[in-house]
Amino acid sequence: MKTILVTGGTGYIGSHTVVQLLNAGINVVILDNLCNSNKAVIQRIENLTNKSPYFVEGDIRDRTTLRHLFEQYSCDAVIHFAGLKAVGESEENPLKYFDNNVSGSVTLFEEMLRVNVNTLIFSSSATVYGNPGVVCYSESTPLQPINVYGQTKLMVEDILRSLKKSKPDFQIALLRYFNPVGAHESGQMGEDPFGTPNNLMPFISQVAIGTRPQLMVYGNNYPTPDGTGLRDYIHVEDLAAGHLAALNHLGPDNSFITVNLGTGRPYSVLEVIKSFEKASGKTIPYEVVGPRSGDLAEYYADPSFAKTVLGWEAKLGIDRMCADSWRWQKNNPKGYL
Ligand code: NAD
Ligand code: UDP
């Protein structure tokens, strides 16, 4: 039976992926410093799978923790989710992001090398494309991130491209996520942001549950059909499944892939509000304000390569994303607390 180290495994995408790994009969070791997640998620993972992941509370930048972990558990592969992801914070505090996301990743890769763990899946992001002048991004669209967060993702991708050249035995998947939303269909696991949510879906959920009075819609003057921003939202369960597909695909003959994980079908802010209102039976009060700095009008994935190379495609649409987000929010008005 395989054992996989999942860094950031108590986080939003990590926890959903851990459930799918355990259900596939894979042992999981989670390493997370809980800077943006709650340990209570582990009990939920156990409820959903009747299995227990091993949990190490620690930091990917801490070499001693990594050495102990790799001594204690014999890992076959690493799925590397651990990272900071708030674009605004990354602009205000770039060193924190370079340290956590880039230095942390380098330390992790060095310790993997030391123990000959050479299979890795890395959480990259559509933000690596920046503002390339097209709206449909394929994997060969030029990479020119426009914020520090995106830079950190591109730097780690570049590091892994160099590592692969120097160590041909490494098997690496770079997965570029579009906009992950939704929750486990049980309503027991979902996104639980600390503080005010930056992203659209958790903000709408908190308005629906009454934690926040209204949504601010950032701009309705974009060159899109209803004037609001268009994004490629992808259900977190589809995204998690993409990791298992990448893991199955990697091998000596398929040892480096870069793949977009999106649906290819973008939705506007107003369309998401409408779908959420339908799912929740609640009205979402909103006010249109000026555009958010750095936001693009529209972008979405060309997901065709993922289908060809991994046999993976997103199955769940916007109504299911909203229904599952709402079930999670309704059952857990204060998240994991
Ligand atoms: P999340 O914040 O819910 O999960 C990340 C986890 O990593 C958290 O549990 C946090 O405590 C942990 N962590 C952070 N720094 C750490 C460190 N130095 N050592 C140990 N643990 C650490 O975020 P998420 O939405 O699940 O995102 C997972 C990954 O996917 C991140 O790398 C993120 O950049 C990337 N990503 C996310 C999105 C998105 O919109 N959610 C989109 C594209 C890419
Ligand atoms: N958005 C919004 N109000 C919010 C949060 C987001 O109108 O409170 C809009 C944002 O301008 C973008 C879309 O919703 O058009 C998705 O934003 P999110 O932050 O979720 O993802 P990202 O901008 O990172 O793609």
Side-chain angles (χ1 to χ4, degrees):
M1 194 194 280
K2 271 193 177 165
T3 299
I4 296 193
L5 168 61
V6 180
T7 73
T10 49
Y12 171 46
I13 305 167
S15 56
H16 289 80
T17 306
V18 167
V19 166
Q20 291 194 17
L21 291 168
L22 291 170
N23 282 339
I26 295 168
N27 285 322
V28 173
V29 182
I30 293 174
L31 172 64
D32 201 301
N33 66 2
L34 303 177
C35 71
N36 198 38
S37 55
N38 193 311
K39 210 174 161 181
V41 75
I42 292 169
Q43 185 60 55
R44 308 291 178 95
I45 291 171
E46 289 173 354
N47 296 346
L48 292 172
T49 61
N50 285 321
K51 292 176 185 161
S52 298
Y54 300 104
F55 176 65
V56 177
E57 184 174 341
D59 199 295
I60 53 165
R61 291 166 295 180
D62 181 354
R63 207 175 283 286
T64 313
T65 297
L66 288 167
R67 284 199 188 161
H68 285 153
L69 187 154
F70 282 125
E71 261 165 36
Q72 195 176 355
Y73 305 102
S74 166
C75 296
D76 300 289
V78 176
I79 306 183
H80 178 30
F81 293 104
L84 302 174
K85 60 171 184 177
V87 170
E89 188 193 34
S90 77
E91 292 287 292
E92 282 155 25
N93 201 344
L95 296 182
K96 179 176 175 186
Y97 274 66
F98 290 121
D99 178 40
N100 200 84
N101 293 4
V102 183
S103 304
S105 295
V106 170
T107 308
L108 172 69
F109 305 154
E110 282 171 346
E111 294 308 315
M112 288 173 66
L113 270 178
R114 175 185 287 275
V115 289
N116 278 323
V117 175
N118 64 2
T119 301
L120 175 75
I121 295 182
F122 173 61
S123 298
S124 189
S125 165
T127 50
V128 295
Y129 297 111
N131 189 357
V134 293
V135 292
C136 178
Y137 300 171
S138 77
E139 288 79 358
S140 56
T141 295
L143 307 174
Q144 40 198 221
I146 54 172
N147 54 57
V148 170
Y149 167 66
Q151 281 176 343
T152 67
K153 290 292 171 189
L154 181 55
M155 286 168 86
V156 177
E157 284 200 5
D158 284 339
I159 288 165
L160 290 170
R161 280 184 275 269
S162 301
L163 179 62
K164 173 66 184 168
K165 272 193 211 145
S166 76
K167 303 274 176 204
D169 286 349
F170 252 74
Q171 298 175 11
I172 298 172
L174 308 179
L175 304 184
R176 295 180 181 151
Y177 313 157
F178 281 67
N179 287 55
V181 297
H184 192 271
E185 70 171 338
S186 64
Q188 286 206 56
M189 277 192 340
E191 188 169 11
D192 182 17
F194 290 174
T196 309
N198 296 311
N199 299 114
L200 179 66
M201 188 69 90
F203 206 107
I204 292 181
S205 302
Q206 293 193 4
V207 172
I209 202 78
T211 310
R212 299 184 189 275
Q214 64 171 9
L215 172 73
M216 252 87 76
V217 173
Y218 296 138
N220 66 353
N221 234 343
Y222 285 112
T224 60
D226 67 18
T228 65
L230 284 166
R231 290 290 181 278
D232 185 340
Y233 299 97
I234 173 170
H235 198 295
V236 66
E237 286 288 308
D238 277 329
L239 191 59
H243 292 73
L244 275 78
L247 207 53
N248 281 336
H249 171 80
L250 285 177
D253 298 331
N254 299 305
S255 60
F256 195 98
I257 47 163
T258 306
V259 187
N260 283 340
L261 295 181
T263 67
R265 161 63 160 107
Y267 285 90
S268 74
V269 176
L270 296 183
E271 285 174 315
V272 176
I273 294 175
K274 210 164 139 202
S275 172
F276 204 97
E277 287 182 332
K278 192 165 79 176
S280 63
K282 306 269 182 192
T283 301
I284 308 295
Y286 68 85
E287 183 188 343
V288 178
V289 298
R292 186 170 62 179
S293 152
D295 268 1
L296 302 182
E298 171 180 7
Y299 64 86
Y300 53 93
D302 172 351
S304 55
F305 186 62
K307 190 168 180 190
T308 311
V309 76
L310 300 180
W312 171 95
E313 64 184 324
K315 296 195 174 75
L316 306 172
I318 191 72
D319 287 343
R320 176 68 187 276
M321 299 177 206
C322 291
D324 288 342
S325 291
W326 173 239
R327 192 177 305 106
W328 152 252
Q329 186 71 67
K330 189 169 48 122
N331 291 354
N332 305 270
K334 296 193 164 143
Y336 288 109
L337 286 180

